[in-house]
Amino acid sequence: MINTCFIADTRAARVVSVILAALFIVVISGCSIFQTKPQKAAFPPSACRTGNLLHDLGRIGSSIRSIDARARIQLELNGRKQPSISCTLKWYGADSSQLLRLTGHGPFGITLFDCLLDNTFLLSIPSHKATYFSDLTQGIDAQSRPGSISQNSRAASAAAQFRMVLNPWNAVMTSHISEISCPGFNENPFLDSGSTEPSNASLVCYSSFVNQTRVWSAFDVNTLSPFAMETGDFKAYFNGILSDSGHSLPCVKYPESIILILKKRNITIHISIKEISFNTITPWQAAFDRTPFMGLRLIPLENLLRQAAGR
């Protein structure tokens, strides 16, 4: 059980190891987050509807080019909830670029971890005085041959799935899609008592393929907001609608919380979004500069994941 005292260096290191191993298993081992309520006065509901539901959902997904957010993330490991961590996230996903910067903060603004993701994964842990790294084009699975097709495909698939959690509408932005019935999506077990969820009649569900990965997704017909998503590796549930902070996009109603379940690892990630803005990030911002990560000892990420797995 992780101690709640983050100040102690050794305890903080153990907390960070477990949290980062879990969070980035989503990205690396083949399994993110955010948006807001539209300004109703400027964008009446009729402007969001063309009469083609699939087109409307895809238009929402394509409107999201970047995300800048504050959130709290809490892990549930083997049924035990761990202390939550305040995080800042910057994601740029326009064009062919896929850039992510995620920083976790402890008490008094202490940086618990800092990571950068493009084609390479860089994870800085100040208490370790080290930066852990992995080339995502090669994967980190020691049981696979470096450069093998299966390994590279799995890394690419994992990254694509993580992007779908950041922008759930990505699941419908493919030509390989069909509408299906919604069994298994008609209830969300994580809703707070007293909350309401859409009836099965107000959900539309799809089966699609993204990077050769089958994805099942469900959206609320009335709000065009995501309700649930599933692949062979994870389930995600989306709850509520984030209040408008003045940085909303037309027709976008983004969940204020996300529950991400890693099926094969008995890990649940609870994400509560506190603040968000869209399309304010460029790929050449300092947030995506590798220089700060390179001043520490460079250690293969595989070493950290082995330590976390052996706890």
Side-chain angles (χ1 to χ4, degrees), residues 114-279:
D114 195 5
C115 69
L116 177 64
L117 175 66
D118 44 30
N119 289 329
T120 303
F121 175 71
L122 296 171
L123 168 62
S124 170
I125 301 181
S127 63
H128 290 196
K129 298 181 180 179
T131 293
Y132 298 89
F133 70 92
S134 176
D135 182 353
L136 292 185
T137 63
Q138 298 299 320
I140 63 166
D141 188 347
Q143 303 302 316
S144 301
R145 292 179 290 107
S148 67
I149 294 176
S150 60
Q151 189 177 48
N152 292 343
S153 296
R154 193 172 79 171
S157 175
Q161 291 179 58
F162 185 64
R163 291 194 295 271
M164 282 189 291
V165 175
L166 291 172
N167 180 357
W169 293 272
N170 269 329
V172 302
M173 296 171 63
T174 174
S175 58
H176 306 288
I177 187 169
S178 58
E179 186 173 341
I180 59 173
S181 59
C182 293
F185 282 128
N186 57 349
E187 64 179 34
N188 184 337
F190 294 96
L191 283 177
D192 295 331
S193 58
S195 299
T196 59
E197 60 183 18
S199 66
N200 203 47
S202 69
L203 291 179
V204 59
C205 297
Y206 296 100
S207 172
S208 59
F209 284 90
V210 179
N211 279 29
Q212 299 181 345
T213 297
R214 182 183 288 275
V215 182
W216 295 272
S217 54
F219 297 87
D220 188 335
V221 173
N222 298 320
T223 63
L224 301 181
S225 59
F227 177 72
M229 179 183 296
E230 183 173 359
T231 72
D233 298 302
F234 73 81
K235 287 183 179 181
Y237 294 97
F238 306 93
N239 296 332
I241 295 176
L242 195 62
S243 298
D244 187 0
S245 60
H247 299 283
S248 60
L249 287 173
C251 309
V252 175
K253 294 188 176 182
Y254 203 86
E256 61 184 354
S257 67
I258 299 171
I259 308 296
L260 181 61
I261 305 168
L262 309 187
K263 293 181 179 179
K264 300 176 183 178
R265 301 179 184 274
N266 202 15
I267 294 172
T268 300
I269 304 174
H270 300 256
I271 303 166
S272 177
I273 303 141
K274 302 302 181 183
E275 184 178 311
I276 194 163
S277 61
F278 304 95
N279 301 343

